[in-house]
Amino acid sequence: MGKHEKKPRRKSNRPRRLLLLAGVSFTFLFLMTMRSDLQYEPELRVLEKQVSTNYNTPGIPHTIWNAWPTTVSFPCKEIEKRWKSVKVQRSPADTGILFIREMKTGSSTLAGILLRLAHTKGEIMHRDKRPCRMRVDHSSARHMKYGNRNKQQSFLISLLRDPTKRAISHYFHFRVSQKKEDPTDDNFQSFFQDNREKFSNYYTKDLTTRPIHLNHEYYSKIIEDILKEYNFIAITERMNESLVVFKMLFDLSFEDILYTSAKTSGSFTTGPDQENSPCIYLVPSFLTDGMKDFFASEEWQQDYIGADNMLYNAANKSLDKTIDSLGRTEVERQVKIFEKALDYSNQQCVDKTFYRCNRKGQFIGQKASCYLWDIGCDHDCLSSISFRNDATILKS
């Protein structure tokens, strides 16, 4: 069936989303609510749970992430006075908690965890109880000069998601949700083709700490060098496993790595027009057959994400090798405990977390409970949770 032909309309018990989609063009509303050939967010959520198996292919680079040395103090360095400003967050740093925060990977969630950790450690290690120095904004490792960092007084971390899934979320967030663009096949493909330089091997260019020549024959060496520079790279599709490994490597507690999901599709977040339309609806992603064909093409797989796929698979393989090093049985046991802790903390905090845009799409601004921008909005509630007084919650 051609992309302009319509299948017979199927009856559906799903409620219309007209109220939630206020302000979106009639054409777009029609596309989202009436076309039955589109595959909606539930399918993408299923895809999110599928972990790539390509990372076990021979020749994929890998490392085993090392535990932070017990003889070296946690890298909690003095924070800048204006640390909440964009200028400071995008300025180079050679010490502290350093996060290469890639867009549309679930990075707001991990940034919230790192911000809470910076505050928790700062309360213990600093007389004035100020948080540890950290960088959690979107910037590249080269811009931040992380190749010159003091590795005894900093740790460098990032988070990767399947490159194609990240690209889909990027398009829907910035073009469909923010700019109300109709997600036709032509618009979809034009977006990536017009921004080819930006999207070609986005991860690899952001995570490298040195100048690189992105030729296929150099991919393996480039990725080996990236892995050597980082203390840990987490995987979005394996978030809970990643966090438990992070906990074990840095001798943290379950309380330190708790989180609630941030910026999920079907909810609201702050948009680019803070004055006239501060809150935008996050339209759920979907794929048409034309979009699938584009992502399956040799052009996309090799030219756009060839190095990124290798890096993503290398990070997955490194996570597996580290789990084996720590003891797979023990890691799996702790993941089960952690998931119980998450269930408990989410029940406690779901009504106590206030983002700048609430569930009705209303901007509440300063009434939000966030550390920084829309990051760490769950910190007040999560910081109050302690399993020491009720260890039965964590019994496996």
Side-chain angles (χ1 to χ4, degrees), residues 175-326:
R175 302 296 294 190
V176 180
S177 296
Q178 282 196 5
K179 296 193 174 182
K180 308 297 186 290
E181 179 174 281
D182 287 355
T184 64
D185 287 353
D186 287 343
N187 286 340
F188 186 79
Q189 293 182 29
S190 293
F191 174 70
F192 290 107
Q193 291 168 344
D194 293 344
N195 296 277
R196 188 186 188 95
E197 179 60 28
K198 179 178 181 179
F199 286 102
S200 293
N201 295 308
Y202 164 74
Y203 289 152
T204 308
K205 289 186 289 191
D206 258 17
L207 267 64
T208 186
T209 60
R210 63 190 68 183
I212 55 174
H213 178 59
L214 270 174
N215 186 293
H216 186 272
E217 61 183 294
Y218 303 131
Y219 283 179
S220 183
K221 180 64 169 66
I222 291 169
I223 290 164
E224 285 178 5
D225 290 343
I226 289 174
L227 295 177
K228 289 176 184 176
E229 288 293 331
Y230 284 72
N231 294 91
F232 187 59
I233 297 177
I235 302 295
T236 304
E237 291 87 350
R238 305 173 68 183
M239 181 67 87
N240 292 349
E241 275 183 287
S242 295
L243 289 174
V244 166
V245 169
F246 178 59
K247 165 191 172 294
M248 296 173 73
L249 293 177
F250 287 86
D251 193 26
L252 305 175
S253 67
F254 285 113
E255 289 92 337
D256 289 329
I257 59 173
L258 293 174
Y259 68 90
T260 59
S261 296
K263 297 184 182 178
T264 56
S265 62
S267 60
F268 291 87
T269 190
T270 50
D273 186 356
Q274 293 292 296
E275 183 175 346
N276 299 311
S277 182
C279 297
I280 60 169
Y281 176 69
L282 293 177
V283 178
S285 304
F286 61 80
L287 287 176
T288 65
D289 288 340
M291 295 173 187
K292 284 184 176 181
D293 289 342
F294 175 71
F295 285 128
S297 69
E298 182 177 332
E299 178 187 18
W300 178 260
Q301 292 295 323
Q302 293 190 10
D303 298 343
Y304 279 88
I305 62 168
D308 278 5
N309 260 338
M310 185 178 286
L311 177 56
Y312 174 74
N313 289 330
N316 262 297
K317 188 174 183 178
S318 298
L319 179 58
D320 264 348
K321 294 294 184 182
T322 305
I323 288 172
D324 289 338
S325 176
L326 294 170

Side-chain angles (χ1 to χ4, degrees), residues 39-57:
Q39 298 171 14
Y40 291 96
E41 188 70 9
E43 176 173 324
L44 294 188
R45 286 175 181 163
V46 171
L47 290 175
E48 287 297 329
K49 297 176 183 178
Q50 298 175 357
V51 178
S52 171
T53 57
N54 294 330
Y55 55 84
N56 286 319
T57 303

Side-chain angles (χ1 to χ4, degrees), residues 78-83 88 91-93 130 133-135:
E78 184 177 351
I79 198 167
E80 299 86 351
K81 291 183 178 180
R82 295 180 59 82
W83 68 270
V88 169
S91 65
R130 286 171 59 81
R133 179 179 301 163
M134 89 294 287
R135 294 291 187 271

Side-chain angles (χ1 to χ4, degrees), residues 130-145:
R130 286 171 59 81
C132 311
R133 179 179 301 163
M134 89 294 287
R135 294 291 187 271
V136 294
D137 198 14
H138 301 292
S139 289
S140 71
R142 286 187 63 195
H143 171 79
M144 302 299 283
K145 299 182 180 179

